[in-house]
Amino acid sequence: MTSPPPHVAVSNYKGGVGKTSLAQGLTVAAAEAGDRVLVIDMDAQGNLTRRLRAPLSPNPDERFGASLADVLQRPAKGEIERILVPCGYGGIYSERISVAPTHFDLELLARTAGQAASERRLLRALAGVTDDFDLVVIDTPPRLFCHLIDIAWTASDVILMPCEGEYEAVEAARRVKERVLEDRHTLNPDLEIAGMVVSRYRSNLTLHKQRAKEMEKIVGAEGICPTRLPELVAFKNMSEKALPIVECGSEGRHMASLYRDVYKWSRDRINTVMKGAA
Ligand SMILES: Nc1ncnc2c1ncn2[C@@H]1O[C@H](COP(=O)(O)OP(=O)(O)OP(=O)(O)O)[C@@H](O)[C@H]1O
Ligand SMILES: [Mg+2]
């Protein structure tokens, strides 16, 4: 029997640090490496749904029923399967990437916060479905104490934190770690922070180098991905144009190899952390 795929939440309390970009980049790199990826968009902004070109009906009633907002109301075991749609890039991406899509409607789920076992709903919806995949990627909103975060983390094995070399982003990552340590006994006792990926990095800024050093205090030197994602237009295009980075010009083709390195490091790191926790 094959072991279940790692369930990876991409989180940082700070907004705009590159969570959805990292989720998109890892998903695409995994597919390019031949892996099958299940993507769960737990941010009601629905940015990852759009960036992966996952189809959702423009009709509000149809859209609600075909999205996570409906499934997570009161899911049957494995119910997420009924809303999965292929990534809209075509080719190997559509073959290997399945998306549980999200729209702004997901905000309505806040109404169910506090109901018995409500934070276990994603876990229940995923039961038996993940066996067909090699990786589960869960994008999360820029929040800390929030129902959508509780649901996402309860269903995750590990958290990956993208982080800019800025004081507020590092502080926000530190708060994620504090909350995990304080609250995982109620949410998910096995939850671990796998590591951090430095994003929007400018190697000519001393400040960015210093902040990257400070990140080591949160997850240890071995928890920092040695590949840093530079601040470049190709990453903007990847999100703006909703394309795999390899299709974002010559700069994008080069950056695709960076994401492949980040994916390889992440898999190794996740294996190490999950073995240590077992
Ligand atoms: N390395 C980079 N270089 C240039 N722009 C980047 C880079 N990484 C991300 N961006 C841009 O920064 C913006 C925010 O990125 P992204 O949406 O991934 O952040 P986020 O953490 O998911 O935001 P939110 O907290 O709103 O969910 C996007 O417009 C994206 O294109
Ligand atoms: Mg985001």
Coordinates of all heavy atoms in Angstrom, one line a residue, residues 16 18-21 43 45 47-48 51 139-142, ligand 2:
G16 N 0.3 39.2 1.2 CA 1.1 39.6 0.0 C 2.5 39.2 0.0 O 3.3 39.7 -0.8
G18 N 3.6 36.2 -0.9 CA 3.9 35.2 -1.9 C 3.4 33.9 -1.6 O 3.8 32.9 -2.1
K19 N 2.3 33.8 -0.7 CA 1.7 32.4 -0.4 C 1.2 31.8 -1.7 O 1.5 30.6 -2.0 CB 0.6 32.6 0.6 CG 1.1 33.0 2.0 CD 0.0 33.2 3.0 CE -1.0 34.4 2.7 NZ -0.3 35.7 2.7
T20 N 0.3 32.5 -2.3 CA -0.4 32.0 -3.5 C 0.6 31.7 -4.6 O 0.5 30.7 -5.4 CB -1.6 32.9 -4.0 OG1 -2.4 33.1 -2.8 CG2 -2.4 32.3 -5.1
S21 N 1.6 32.6 -4.8 CA 2.6 32.4 -5.8 C 3.4 31.1 -5.5 O 3.7 30.4 -6.4 CB 3.6 33.6 -5.8 OG 2.9 34.8 -6.2
D43 N -8.5 30.1 0.5 CA -8.5 31.5 0.6 C -9.7 32.0 -0.2 O -9.8 31.8 -1.4 CB -7.2 32.2 0.1 CG -7.2 33.7 0.4 OD1 -8.3 34.2 0.7 OD2 -6.1 34.3 0.2
Q45 N -10.4 34.7 -1.3 CA -10.1 35.6 -2.5 C -10.1 34.8 -3.8 O -10.2 35.4 -4.9 CB -8.7 36.2 -2.3 CG -8.5 37.1 -1.1 CD -7.1 37.7 -1.0 OE1 -6.8 38.7 -1.5 NE2 -6.3 37.0 -0.2
N47 N -7.7 33.4 -5.4 CA -6.6 33.8 -6.3 C -6.0 32.6 -6.9 O -5.6 32.6 -8.1 CB -5.5 34.6 -5.6 CG -6.0 36.0 -5.1 OD1 -7.0 36.4 -5.7 ND2 -5.4 36.6 -4.1
L48 N -5.8 31.5 -6.2 CA -5.1 30.3 -6.7 C -6.1 29.6 -7.8 O -5.6 29.1 -8.8 CB -4.7 29.3 -5.6 CG -3.8 28.2 -6.0 CD1 -2.6 28.6 -6.8 CD2 -3.4 27.3 -4.8
R51 N -5.6 31.7 -10.8 CA -4.2 31.6 -11.4 C -4.0 30.2 -12.0 O -3.1 30.1 -12.9 CB -3.1 31.9 -10.3 CG -3.1 33.3 -9.9 CD -2.0 33.6 -9.0 NE -2.3 34.8 -8.2 CZ -1.5 35.3 -7.2 NH1 -0.3 34.7 -7.0 NH2 -1.8 36.3 -6.5
D139 N -3.7 26.4 -0.2 CA -3.4 27.8 0.0 C -4.3 28.4 1.1 O -5.5 28.0 1.2 CB -3.7 28.5 -1.4 CG -3.1 29.9 -1.4 OD1 -2.2 30.2 -0.6 OD2 -3.6 30.8 -2.1
T140 N -3.7 29.3 1.9 CA -4.5 29.8 3.0 C -4.5 31.3 3.0 O -3.6 32.0 2.4 CB -3.9 29.3 4.3 OG1 -2.6 29.8 4.5 CG2 -3.9 27.8 4.4
P141 N -5.5 31.9 3.7 CA -5.6 33.4 3.7 C -4.6 34.0 4.7 O -4.0 33.3 5.5 CB -7.0 33.6 4.2 CG -7.4 32.4 5.0 CD -6.6 31.3 4.4
P142 N -4.3 35.3 4.5 CA -3.4 36.0 5.4 C -4.0 36.3 6.8 O -4.2 37.4 7.2 CB -3.1 37.3 4.7 CG -4.3 37.6 3.9 CD -4.9 36.2 3.5
Ligands
MG2 MG -2.8 34.5 -1.5

